[in-house]
Amino acid sequence: MASKRGALIVLEGVDRAGKTTQCKKLVQALQQSGHPAETMRFPDRSTTIGQLISAYLEKKSDLEDHTVHLLFSANRWELVPVMKKKLEQGITLVVDRYAFSGVAFTSAKPGFCLDWCKRPDVGLPKPDLVMFLQLNPAEAALRGQFGNERYETSAFQKSVQEKFEQLMKDPSVNWKVIDASQNVEGVHADIRTHSLNAINETQNMPLGELWK
Ligand code: FDM
């Protein structure tokens, strides 16, 4: 019998919901319970494409909106061979943002529809679980100011949240909404439970293709 594959687990959510902290805590908890696990994040700013994206986000360069959308997608596709290899080796990947951020952020700009935004990411490895860290704007504001990168304004984040809500209506994706207003340990406990379930349920199932 083929050996068990790792699960592809994605954390999404608006800014300051605690995604990065929770990704790290989840990987530690999985490793401690004997499940090989690694974090990944998108955009991956270390590649040539990632550096173009990073300069754009830091407002050091301007890129046309369709172009940057396609670069974000290309940045995921260039990592697909590595992702598939790790999953086949039984490593669970805990990913900080994925195609859902790609679609939510671009479609929040004027003149973009959800369908066009999804197209370049059709066929990417399909996450076994996508957890959306839900935090209302008032609670997010209590966690401090926005940073200086592109997209870090409350008006834009509100539109992004609405786009995520539309994406979460898609039953072909295994969405779980997590109450991110709890304390760090409470959020972690919810995330860990969902993740262990997903790992157990999907270890003998083939990896799917997103939005196909
Ligand atoms: N972002 C992220 C996009 O616009 N498209 C994408 O495909 C992805 C993955 O980039 F504002 C946006 C979301 C966020 C920024 O910031 C990345 P972090 O702090 O590195 O997550």
Side-chain angles (χ1 to χ4, degrees), residues 41-43 45 57 72 76 97-98 101-102 105 150-151:
R41 70 177 304 143
F42 288 109
R45 302 187 192 213
L57 289 171
F72 273 111
R76 286 183 278 280
R97 299 192 190 277
Y98 198 52
S101 274
F105 278 76
R150 211 179 280 267
Y151 306 145

Side-chain angles (χ1 to χ4, degrees), residues 1-188:
M1 202 179 100
S3 56
K4 292 166 179 173
R5 72 166 172 93
L8 180 56
I9 297 174
V10 170
L11 265 73
E12 289 281 10
V14 290
D15 268 33
R16 295 177 297 182
K19 289 184 297 300
T20 306
T21 306
Q22 292 296 339
C23 282
K24 286 192 194 133
K25 281 182 78 72
L26 176 59
V27 165
Q28 280 169 5
L30 293 176
Q31 287 171 346
Q32 279 163 14
S33 59
H35 297 281
E38 292 180 16
T39 45
M40 287 186 77
R41 70 177 304 143
F42 288 109
D44 178 336
R45 302 187 192 213
S46 70
T47 69
T48 305
I49 294 170
Q51 283 162 23
L52 292 173
I53 294 171
S54 188
Y56 171 80
L57 289 171
E58 292 168 25
K59 301 180 195 160
K60 290 180 181 157
S61 70
D62 281 320
L63 288 167
E64 192 276 331
D65 289 330
H66 299 78
T67 310
V68 76
H69 182 74
L70 296 174
L71 287 176
F72 273 111
S73 177
N75 184 233
R76 286 183 278 280
W77 281 107
E78 67 178 334
L79 270 305
V80 167
V82 176
M83 293 171 73
K84 285 190 168 165
K85 195 165 172 215
K86 287 186 189 276
L87 292 168
E88 276 162 21
Q89 288 169 342
I91 301 169
T92 287
L93 296 177
V94 175
V95 187
D96 189 344
R97 299 192 190 277
Y98 198 52
F100 314 98
S101 274
V103 175
F105 278 76
T106 302
S107 66
K109 296 178 178 180
F112 285 88
C113 68
L114 228 52
D115 191 45
W116 187 90
C117 292
K118 284 163 84 171
R119 288 298 164 96
D121 286 317
V122 169
L124 276 178
K126 181 178 174 174
D128 299 298
L129 170 66
V130 188
M131 288 175 282
F132 184 78
L133 272 58
Q134 182 84 268
L135 192 68
N136 71 42
E139 275 161 328
L142 291 175
R143 297 187 178 187
Q145 300 292 308
F146 281 111
N148 289 323
E149 285 209 329
R150 211 179 280 267
Y151 306 145
E152 294 183 329
T153 66
S154 53
F156 193 73
Q157 294 283 325
K158 187 168 173 287
S159 324
V160 171
Q161 165 87 27
E162 286 164 13
K163 299 298 175 183
F164 273 123
E165 276 159 19
Q166 285 180 35
L167 285 172
M168 282 190 270
K169 289 184 185 146
D170 173 3
S172 79
V173 173
N174 181 21
W175 286 100
K176 300 278 185 240
V177 178
I178 308 289
D179 174 9
S181 68
Q182 307 172 76
N183 64 29
V184 173
E185 290 307 325
V187 176
H188 172 62

